[in-house]
Amino acid sequence: MTMTDPPGVPLLDLTEQYHTLAPELDAAVARVVRSQRFVLGPEVDAFEAEFASYVGAPHAVGVASGTDALLLPLLALDPSPGDEVIVPAFTFFATAGAVWNAGFKPVFCDVDPRTFNVTVDTLEAVRTPRTRAAIPVHLFGQMAPMDEILAWAERAGITVIEDAAQSVGARMQTAAGPVMAGAAAPVSAFSFFPTKNLGAFGDAGMVTALDGEIAERVGKLRVHGGRQMYHHEMVGTNSRLDALQAAVLRVKLGHLDGWSEARRANAARYDEALGEVAEVLLPTVAPGHHHVYNQYTIRCRRRDELRAALAEQGIGSGVYYPVPLHLQECFSSLGGRRGRLPAAEQLCGEVLSLPIFPELGGDRLDRVAEAIQGFFGA
């Protein structure tokens, strides 16, 4: 890069968000430091109540990470040897890893190549008599078709756990009216990893629940299996949400909807700019869905060439995900074979996520779009 080249376009830049909110965030952190209450406590209680109200769920339980937000509800199901949980093959590893670590057998299903999410058909294709639960992942910021999935699960006697780690603020229209991610299934998991639309200053997660008994069990599991110190009703673990993270998230929660709308505006601008590029498939938004674009993910057959060309111009991009879960080495004992889940396998070779963060701005977004147009000669 020469002195006359334009500055780069990162895939994600959190510094501007911090500088905008610095007085609020610094005050929140200082408030916790002064209190010397660093684990659970009133900040966590307040954030749980505020987050539950935001998503429309009766209960919320703060935990140490998004991974634990998946693991603890699975442990609450008290698995028996051989019990299975269906997960998509095209998602982040934590979904399947939590299933494995809870003592279940992960069973991988394919996804809809347009929305990247599971469907009733892909779930039913791998259901067996040992299936205890299914985890639809609301990938990249769009909810899976929960109306159909919940009806299917009720008929089959299967528990549904929403993986909402990438979709805080997403919603969809159902027969009963609009519902937000985290309030559709009996129990849901959120991640507040710093790169998420609602990000902490480190690891943090939340379990939301429609049923008080599930929330109670998760609340016990996060503190070694009991509500009273030195009294343990079940074997739990240490997965408590830090008060510092809760205080930061309380500040950011009030800005989330504005950030989501900025992401949606950026997505619309990409749609317009790239809509005529024949070699590029744009993200599909299902009817009745409110997408919040944790990622703006396109598809193209020359993905790796395009990514290299963007990098040469200082433009960041990401591949989520290069290897489907059923072909990961750690799950080889489950017998996954190439060709069994064709949509997931194809997506892993074609997807490319572009910068979409709220502070991106039109000039930088246009530079990304123009680079893609130029690569394809559009």
Side-chain angles (χ1 to χ4, degrees):
M1 180 175 289
T2 70
M3 294 296 291
T4 58
D5 288 332
V9 183
L11 178 60
L12 176 65
D13 184 358
L14 294 172
T15 55
E16 187 172 340
Q17 181 187 102
Y18 169 71
H19 289 312
T20 301
L21 300 180
E24 293 178 80
L25 291 168
D26 292 351
V29 170
R31 182 176 69 243
V32 175
V33 172
R34 287 194 300 270
S35 77
Q36 291 293 289
R37 299 282 300 275
F38 295 115
V39 179
L40 297 180
E43 290 287 349
V44 174
D45 292 344
F47 178 56
E48 288 173 339
E50 291 159 7
F51 190 77
S53 176
Y54 176 80
V55 303
H59 309 280
V61 182
V63 295
S65 69
T67 299
D68 281 357
L70 289 163
L71 176 64
L72 298 187
L74 287 161
L75 291 173
L77 293 178
D78 194 18
S80 298
D83 285 353
E84 298 173 351
V85 176
I86 303 173
V87 299
F90 185 68
T91 189
F92 182 57
F93 177 82
T95 313
V99 170
W100 182 283
N101 288 327
F104 290 96
K105 175 185 176 181
V107 174
F108 300 107
C109 73
D110 217 341
V111 296
D112 181 337
R114 300 165 302 170
T115 65
F116 310 128
N117 283 329
V118 300
T119 68
V120 167
D121 289 341
T122 65
L123 293 167
E124 178 62 24
V126 297
R127 182 173 66 89
T128 77
R130 300 307 305 267
T131 303
R132 285 280 308 280
I135 305 180
V137 179
H138 304 327
L139 203 67
F140 300 151
Q142 178 171 216
M143 292 178 68
M146 293 304 295
D147 258 3
E148 295 92 334
I149 290 171
L150 291 168
W152 164 82
E154 184 175 6
R155 292 192 300 269
I158 293 170
T159 298
V160 175
I161 299 172
E162 286 183 86
D163 184 338
Q166 300 182 18
S167 62
V168 60
R171 60 182 182 269
M172 62 176 290
Q173 189 67 35
T174 72
V179 65
M180 294 193 75
V187 63
S188 307
F190 288 89
S191 170
F192 304 125
F193 188 75
T195 60
K196 296 296 191 287
N197 290 18
L198 180 63
F201 281 0
D203 278 313
M206 185 73 78
V207 176
T208 56
L210 305 183
D211 181 84
E213 183 177 348
I214 294 175
E216 179 73 13
R217 287 178 64 82
V218 170
K220 292 176 182 177
L221 286 167
R222 73 173 174 178
V223 284
H224 301 291
R227 289 289 193 182
Q228 182 180 354
M229 186 175 291
Y230 307 126
H231 295 265
H232 308 278
E233 301 163 47
M234 60 187 76
V235 178
T237 188
N238 175 12
S239 184
R240 298 169 295 197
L241 179 60
D242 290 343
L244 283 167
Q245 304 301 350
V248 166
L249 290 164
R250 292 182 68 195
V251 171
K252 290 190 173 187
L253 182 61
H255 300 271
L256 177 59
D257 286 344
W259 293 335
S260 295
E261 287 310 306
R263 287 175 177 271
R264 287 169 53 81
N266 288 341
R269 191 159 179 159
Y270 273 133
D271 287 348
E272 182 177 1
L274 301 176
E276 300 302 319
V277 182
E279 295 89 344
V280 171
L281 293 177
L282 303 181
T284 297
V285 180
H289 283 247
H290 181 89
H291 201 315
V292 293
Y293 294 99
N294 180 243
Q295 303 293 343
Y296 183 90
T297 303
I298 63 173
R299 293 174 55 192
C300 66
R301 293 182 179 178
R302 298 171 59 194
R303 186 268 311 282
D304 295 337
E305 296 175 59
L306 173 59
R307 190 181 189 201
L310 293 176
E312 288 179 0
Q313 299 182 54
I315 296 172
S317 62
V319 176
Y320 308 101
Y321 303 91
V323 181
L325 293 180
H326 68 295
L327 299 182
Q328 293 286 349
E329 180 180 355
C330 64
F331 294 130
S332 60
S333 63
L334 300 177
R337 296 290 184 272
R338 189 170 298 279
R340 288 189 176 178
L341 302 175
E345 294 169 26
Q346 182 178 8
L347 290 173
C348 286
E350 294 182 354
V351 292
L352 187 67
S353 295
L354 306 179
I356 191 71
F357 57 96
E359 300 82 11
L360 179 62
D363 290 343
R364 289 192 292 187
L365 188 151
D366 290 344
R367 186 179 162 205
V368 177
E370 288 164 5
I372 295 172
Q373 292 167 345
F375 177 81
F376 289 109

